[in-house]
């Protein structure tokens, strides 16, 4: 499949639609604009239903809030109206509005209060949300617990690994592969600020426990032009705001982790703070309940300040630090270590006095360092720093929505990798870039939405400018927002690469570099087609097929002899696959099933291939190519009791098989005595990644009971990871000819206390 021709049509389509639909637009009547938020926390409420009904006559109109909580009514005629806002779990808001004869702009921001009435039935949609764009799933923290986590709080890291298209090579290392992309091709945002490695060395945990998360938008592909600089996926996490009126706190402990969370108003109704402290305990406790000590540890600290003006403009600032250290192979002395320092701020809001509907201003600093050491390879380290300044705006021109913005970044990268990649000479680099993006949303009738867009980036002569057209389309055959056929196309480029030696799966070390050849740049071309459909009142079904062309992905040079040093090569390739989801939500019972099918194939040209195989070009499946992936979750809650069960299956991952063994003699110091000396043993390798490890499957279970103790709520949770004690292979060490397994049966008990 060649999608280049279709991508060239996107700019042409954009200007044709713009010219036709904006030629006769004239402003008439009044404009009503506002943001809908939670009264206690200031959280924006997306997909709130809003109606505007004349008190006399007909002509009721309706809309829903977008991801920023924004709504807008244009060309409202003079008269008296009933204004109604509805949102599940909140009290209905009813107001009256009088619009005068003279056209004017009206700000009408709404704060909704939680409903005091207990709902008989609560459906949490989880991975299938009504505002889902092509390639996107929207995740609420209430669904995190569907993937049992051995801690007092559920975690995004455990839940995201249950999604089709997301591959984790094991239960340690903190690396995720999305639809054939590598970990450094994923963009992780926290309130709009980049964080390079949010996942901890123990695979169940991240810097995003359920206590601090408001919502998550996860784009597995086909994402719009607002997100540039990555070729695989985007995880956009919004942290919760602290309570503006009440102090709350919670503390929990388990054999894996302990944490403490608090939120408090600073000025009642105006500003608040949240804080989160987490630290691992597995290194100290694992030798008690497991067969061997788990030498892994992590900790993180988060502080966020939020301020609400009450006039539709809200600002926040945060700072976070993380630290991870440990070994992936408990029998070796190799270790991995990384840390993040992230800080920044955001101001966003809407004003009827402005011609722009919504403005989002964001500033951030991100620093990431990681290190690998051991007796054989020496110490290697890599650092990357980024500062960014973004402005994102939304503008309605008639019925056409424009999302556009501007950005500028500055990065520094440095590394010392002890001759791991012998072809890399430049060990420090700095570069800047600036650019902008534009996306237009056009409704064709009431059922079709077309969203062409483009992102343009200039690298100030360091690299050639990048123009990346994108296109998203959706069709709602019966006019229902939960029933849709959608498609997306796009070009995605990445100015730098995260280089990892995937010859050996047992690594978490990444070196960030600019590719040595300035004309090369990592590139991916996405095409996807999806359908989502409710089935009756309780089932949701979705399927999405995708195709990606990838170019100039850096890989390690393959050699027939297992050795430490390597060189840099490049691979092109394709990714083809399908993600399928089926969810049932009925009262207090849920069930979810996800299946992913994917084929990732690299093609690389390396000079010595001709010597060994007679062909200079070889094709292979990289070590994250998981052909089949199946995940099932079920659970229920009755009163204060709940249970969650999760089963995961993954077909075997590729690895390079040993072909044989021999010994060699070194002539560096003296001629060897071949009659007495056996030489140094070495491993001879087969073609790259032609073997497959055994299939993976694991059952995780948790049950919990909550109690009320006056002013405190207590929750006790018991569970087990790998309940039927499957021996799942983490990776196969071809150098030492031995397998390293993932966690065996691991029971746990956790205790969580929180104020009420």
């Amino acid at each position: 499949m060649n999608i280049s021709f279709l991508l060239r049509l996107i700019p042409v389509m954009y200007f044709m639609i713009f010219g036709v639909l904006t030629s006769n637009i004239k402003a008439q009547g009044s404009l009503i604009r506002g943001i809908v938020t939670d009264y206690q926390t200031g959280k924006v409420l997306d997909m709130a239903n809003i109606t505007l009904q004349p008190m006399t006559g007909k002509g009721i109109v309706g809309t829903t809030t977008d991801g920023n909580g924004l709504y807008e009514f244009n060309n409202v005629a003079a008269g008296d109206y009933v204004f109604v806002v509805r949102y599940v779990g909140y009290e209905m808001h009813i107001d009256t509005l009088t619009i005068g004869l003279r056209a004017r702009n009206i700000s009408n921001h709404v704060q909704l209060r939680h409903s005091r009435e207990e709902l008989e039935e609560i459906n949490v949609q989880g991975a299938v949300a009504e505002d889902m764009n092509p390639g996107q799933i929207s995740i609420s923290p209430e669904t995190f617990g569907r993937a049992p986590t051995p801690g007092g709080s559920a975690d995004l890291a455990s839940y995201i690994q249950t999604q089709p298209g997301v591959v984790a090579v094991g239960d340690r290392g903190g690396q995720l592969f999305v639809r054939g992309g590598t970990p450094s091709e994923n963009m992780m945002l926290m309130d709009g600020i980049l964080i390079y490695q949010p996942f901890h060395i123990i695979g169940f945990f991240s810097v995003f426990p359920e206590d601090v998360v408001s919502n998550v938008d996860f784009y597995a592909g086909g994402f719009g032009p607002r997100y540039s600089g990555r070729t695989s996926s985007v995880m956009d996490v919004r942290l919760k705001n602290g309570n503006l009126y009440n102090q709350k706190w919670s503390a929990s402990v388990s054999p894996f982790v302990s944490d403490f969370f608090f939120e408090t108003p600073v000025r009642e109704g105006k500003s608040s703070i949240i804080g989160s402290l987490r630290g691992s305990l597995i290194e100290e406790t694992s030798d008690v309940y497991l067969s061997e000590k788990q030498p892994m540890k992590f900790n993180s600290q988060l502080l966020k300040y939020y301020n609400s003006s009450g006039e539709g403009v809200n600002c926040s600032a945060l700072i976070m630090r993380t630290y991870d250290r440990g070994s992936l192979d408990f029998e070796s002395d190799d270790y991995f270590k990384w840390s993040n320092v992230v800080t920044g701020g955001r101001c966003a809001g809407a004003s009827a006095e402005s011609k722009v509907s919504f403005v989002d201003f964001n500033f951030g600093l991100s620093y990431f360092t990681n290190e690998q050491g051991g007796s054989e390879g020496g110490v290697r380290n890599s650092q990357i720093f980024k500062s960014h300044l973004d402005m994102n705006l939304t503008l309605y021109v008639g019925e056409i929505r424009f999302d556009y913005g501007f950005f500028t970044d500055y990065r520094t990268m440095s590394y010392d990798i002890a001759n791991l990649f012998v072809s890399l000479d430049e060990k420090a680099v700095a570069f800047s870039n600036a650019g902008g993006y534009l996306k237009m949303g056009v409704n064709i009738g009431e059922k079709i939405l077309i969203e062409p867009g483009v992102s343009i980036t200039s690298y100030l002569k360091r690299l050639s400018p990048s123009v990346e057209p994108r296109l998203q389309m959706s069709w709602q055959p019966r006019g229902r927002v939960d029933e849709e056929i959608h498609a997306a196309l796009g070009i995605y480029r990445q100015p730098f690469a995260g280089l990892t030696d995937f010859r050996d799966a047992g690594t978490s070390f990444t070196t960030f570099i600019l590719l040595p050849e300035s004309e090369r740049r990592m590139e991916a071309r996405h095409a996807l087609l999806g359908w989502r459909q409710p089935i009756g009142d309780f089932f949701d079904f979705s399927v999405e097929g995708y195709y990606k062309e990838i170019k100039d992905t850096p890989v390690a040079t393959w050699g027939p002899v297992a050795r430490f040093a390597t060189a840099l090569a490049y691979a092109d390739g394709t990714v083809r696959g399908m993600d399928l989801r089926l969810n049932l939500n009925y009262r207090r019972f849920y069930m979810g099933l996800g299946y992913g099918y994917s084929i990732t194939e690299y093609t690389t040209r390396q000079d010595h291939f001709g010597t060994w195989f007679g062909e200079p070009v070889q094709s292979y499946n990289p070590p994250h190519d998981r052909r089949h992936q199946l995940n099932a979750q079920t659970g229920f809650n009755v009163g204060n009791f709940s249970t969650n069960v999760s089963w995961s299956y993954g077909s075997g991952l590729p690895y390079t098989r040993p072909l044989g063994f021999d010994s060699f003699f070194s002539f560096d110091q003296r001629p060897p005595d071949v009659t007495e000396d056996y030489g140094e043993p070495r491993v001879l390798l087969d073609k790259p990644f032609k073997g497959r490890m055994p299939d993976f499957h694991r059952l995780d279970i948790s049950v919990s009971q909550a109690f009320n103790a006056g002013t405190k709520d207590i929750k006790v949770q018991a569970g087990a990871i790998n309940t039927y004690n499957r021996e799942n292979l983490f990776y196969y060490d071809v150098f030492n000819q031995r397998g390293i397994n993932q966690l065996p049966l691991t029971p746990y008990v956790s205790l969580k206390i929180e104020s009420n």
Side-chain angles (χ1 to χ4, degrees):
M1 177 180 179
N2 192 325
I3 61 177
S4 300
F5 173 74
L6 295 174
L7 290 167
R8 293 192 188 101
L9 294 180
I10 295 176
V12 178
M13 182 184 300
Y14 180 92
F15 288 109
M16 287 178 63
I17 295 173
F18 179 80
V20 171
L21 296 180
T22 63
S23 58
N24 295 317
I25 291 175
K26 295 182 179 179
Q28 298 177 355
S30 295
L31 176 146
I32 304 173
R33 177 189 297 157
I35 295 177
V36 180
T37 58
D38 180 288
Y39 171 77
Q40 286 193 316
T41 66
K43 172 186 176 181
V44 297
L45 302 177
D46 60 328
M47 296 304 293
N49 294 306
I50 304 174
T51 57
L52 192 64
Q53 180 176 4
M55 290 186 179
T56 58
K58 299 180 180 180
I60 184 172
V61 292
T63 187
T64 57
T65 55
D66 66 6
N68 296 310
L70 173 71
Y71 73 91
E72 187 168 306
F73 291 104
N74 287 293
N75 302 327
V76 181
D80 296 323
Y81 293 84
V82 177
F83 178 82
V84 181
V85 182
R86 296 180 178 88
Y87 197 84
V88 175
Y90 288 81
E91 296 178 356
M92 182 170 60
H93 173 87
I94 303 177
D95 197 3
T96 57
L97 298 177
T98 299
I99 308 299
L101 294 176
R102 295 184 59 183
R104 63 193 182 98
N105 296 342
I106 299 173
S107 291
N108 190 27
H109 307 294
V110 178
Q111 294 179 323
L112 296 184
R113 297 175 182 265
H114 283 276
S115 174
R116 295 183 179 181
E117 297 180 3
E118 184 177 353
L119 299 178
E120 294 182 0
E121 181 178 314
I122 299 176
N123 286 344
V124 180
Q125 297 298 322
V128 181
E130 292 185 349
D131 60 340
M132 185 173 66
N133 294 314
Q136 176 193 357
I137 60 172
S138 293
I139 306 169
S140 64
E142 290 79 11
T143 61
F144 290 4
R146 295 185 175 186
T149 304
S153 298
D155 197 287
L156 176 61
S158 292
Y159 183 79
I160 200 67
Q161 293 176 50
T162 68
Q163 300 305 301
V166 179
V167 173
V169 297
D171 57 9
R172 66 199 75 158
Q175 294 190 323
L176 296 182
F177 303 81
V178 180
R179 290 187 177 177
T182 61
S184 63
E185 297 172 53
N186 303 325
M187 176 181 286
M188 311 290 182
L189 299 174
M190 180 175 60
D191 277 1
I193 305 170
L194 183 71
I195 178 169
Y196 284 97
Q197 176 53 296
F199 301 106
H200 288 305
I201 194 167
I202 306 171
F204 309 110
F205 302 102
S206 71
V207 300
F208 302 125
E210 61 179 341
D211 295 326
V212 306
V213 175
S214 175
N215 66 280
V216 181
D217 289 327
F218 176 55
Y219 302 84
F223 42 93
R226 175 172 178 171
Y227 304 105
S228 62
R230 291 295 190 280
T231 58
S232 183
S233 72
V234 174
M235 185 178 294
D236 193 345
V237 180
R238 289 192 179 184
L239 303 178
K240 68 181 294 185
N241 303 319
N243 197 298
L244 295 169
Y245 296 93
N246 301 307
Q247 292 183 347
K248 293 186 177 181
W249 61 267
S250 66
S252 68
V253 63
S254 80
F256 279 73
V257 65
S258 64
D259 57 38
F260 178 73
F261 169 81
F262 69 91
E263 56 182 325
T264 182
V266 178
R267 288 194 304 156
E268 186 173 297
K270 295 294 184 181
S271 59
S272 64
I273 287 178
I274 67 168
S276 175
L277 306 173
R278 306 188 87 195
S280 64
L281 297 174
I282 187 172
E283 191 169 55
E284 291 78 14
T285 62
S286 55
D287 54 355
V288 175
Y289 61 93
L290 294 176
S291 59
E292 59 182 340
K293 184 176 181 179
Q294 310 284 309
M296 298 182 288
K297 65 189 305 181
F298 67 84
N299 60 70
S300 63
Q301 303 84 39
L302 166 68
L303 192 66
K304 177 183 176 181
Y305 171 80
Y306 169 76
N307 182 81
S308 173
S309 68
E311 301 296 329
V313 178
N314 305 310
C315 295
S316 63
L318 66 86
I319 184 169
M320 170 177 277
R321 173 194 171 275
T322 78
Y323 174 83
D324 286 77
R325 188 187 192 283
S327 175
L328 306 185
D329 178 0
F330 303 155
E331 296 183 17
S332 80
D333 63 352
D334 287 345
Y335 70 88
F336 298 90
K337 179 169 66 175
W338 65 80
S339 64
N340 295 275
V341 177
V342 179
T343 187
R346 178 178 185 260
C347 283
S351 171
E353 302 304 319
S354 172
K355 293 183 179 180
V356 178
S357 301
F358 187 82
V359 178
D360 179 355
F361 180 82
N362 187 285
F363 166 76
L365 303 173
S366 303
Y367 176 73
F368 174 72
T369 179
N370 71 144
E371 179 181 306
Q372 177 183 3
S375 59
E376 296 185 4
V379 176
R380 298 173 291 282
N381 59 74
S382 173
Q383 300 84 33
I384 183 169
F385 167 82
K386 177 189 176 183
S387 64
H388 76 267
L389 184 64
D390 303 339
M391 179 177 288
N392 306 289
L393 305 101
T394 299
L395 172 67
Y396 286 91
V397 180
E399 298 299 321
I400 305 174
R401 172 173 171 144
F402 291 89
D403 291 287
Y404 62 101
F406 311 93
F407 54 85
T408 180
D409 303 335
Y410 172 76
R411 288 185 181 88
T412 63
M413 294 177 285
S414 61
Y415 58 86
D416 182 357
I417 54 177
N419 296 321
L420 175 60
F421 288 89
V422 295
S423 57
L424 297 181
D425 297 324
E426 191 173 26
K427 296 188 177 182
V429 64
F431 69 98
S432 300
N433 65 270
Y437 71 91
L438 177 62
K439 177 180 177 180
M440 181 170 65
V442 181
N443 288 292
I444 308 299
E446 297 182 352
K447 299 180 180 180
I448 297 176
L449 175 64
I450 300 177
E451 297 178 292
V454 65
S455 176
I456 302 175
T457 307
S458 172
Y459 295 95
L460 307 180
K461 298 183 179 181
R462 180 83 196 201
L463 300 170
S464 58
S466 177
V467 179
E468 303 169 35
R470 318 264 173 95
L471 175 65
Q472 296 176 321
M473 299 174 289
S474 62
W475 174 39
Q476 297 170 355
R478 295 190 295 175
R480 295 181 51 172
V481 295
D482 58 349
E483 180 183 85
E484 180 181 273
I485 296 172
H486 59 249
L489 297 169
I491 292 178
Y492 302 83
R493 296 193 180 97
Q494 188 164 325
F496 65 93
L499 194 59
T500 301
D501 184 10
F502 285 122
R503 296 176 303 165
D504 183 358
T507 184
S508 288
F509 177 72
T510 300
T511 304
F512 292 96
I513 64 167
L514 280 179
L515 298 183
E517 294 87 348
S518 59
E519 72 278 5
R520 291 185 184 269
R521 192 176 309 175
M522 294 178 65
E523 181 178 303
R525 302 186 177 195
H526 294 201
L528 60 87
L529 178 65
W531 171 42
R532 54 191 175 94
Q533 175 73 48
I535 304 174
D537 295 329
F538 306 109
F539 284 94
D540 291 294
F541 169 81
S542 69
V543 61
E544 190 167 80
Y546 56 90
Y547 177 85
K548 291 166 62 174
E549 296 175 353
I550 55 179
K551 182 180 178 182
D552 287 335
T553 295
V555 295
T557 298
W558 179 89
V561 177
R563 59 184 180 181
F564 169 74
T566 185
L568 190 64
Y570 298 94
D572 299 335
T574 59
V575 184
R576 307 184 301 276
M578 176 191 69
D579 291 346
L580 182 149
R581 298 179 181 88
L582 179 65
N583 291 314
L584 165 66
N585 292 278
Y586 178 72
R587 297 185 182 275
R588 299 182 179 277
F589 174 80
Y590 75 87
M591 181 179 294
L593 182 68
Y595 171 72
Y597 175 80
S598 178
I599 301 175
T600 303
E601 186 175 65
Y602 284 0
T603 299
T604 181
R605 173 184 293 271
Q606 298 180 15
D607 293 338
H608 54 274
F609 281 169
T611 302
W612 282 90
F613 309 127
E615 294 288 341
V617 178
Q618 293 290 315
S619 297
Y620 65 94
N621 303 113
H624 54 277
D625 174 54
R626 174 154 278 163
R627 190 73 71 247
H628 303 280
Q629 185 169 332
L630 182 64
N631 298 282
Q633 294 89 37
T634 187
F636 65 90
N637 63 83
V638 178
N640 292 324
F641 176 83
S642 65
T643 182
N644 296 281
V645 180
S646 177
W647 183 78
S648 299
Y649 166 84
S651 57
L653 296 169
Y655 78 104
T656 301
R657 295 176 298 194
L659 190 63
F661 308 88
D662 72 353
S663 61
F664 72 97
F665 294 94
S666 174
F667 291 81
D668 291 342
Q669 298 181 358
R670 60 178 177 80
D673 184 356
V674 297
T675 61
E676 298 293 336
D677 195 350
Y678 290 101
E680 295 293 331
R682 64 180 179 182
V683 183
L684 302 179
L685 301 178
D686 196 357
K687 286 186 177 183
F689 302 107
K690 293 300 182 181
R692 289 274 175 175
M693 294 197 298
D695 293 352
F696 160 88
H697 51 90
R698 190 181 75 198
L699 177 68
D700 302 334
I701 297 175
S702 70
V703 295
S704 65
Q705 177 69 52
F707 307 90
N708 179 265
T711 60
K712 306 293 186 296
D713 290 328
I714 300 174
K715 185 176 78 171
V716 179
Q717 178 177 266
I721 302 298
N722 195 8
T723 306
Y724 50 75
N725 201 26
R726 162 80 176 183
E727 289 190 357
N728 290 306
L729 192 64
F730 176 40
Y731 79 99
Y732 182 72
D733 184 353
V734 297
F735 293 87
N736 297 300
Q737 295 297 293
R738 60 187 179 89
I740 291 87
N741 287 333
Q742 301 183 42
L743 284 176
L745 168 64
T746 307
Y748 64 90
V749 176
S750 67
L751 174 68
K752 185 173 185 178
I753 303 174
E754 55 187 333
S755 61
N756 54 29

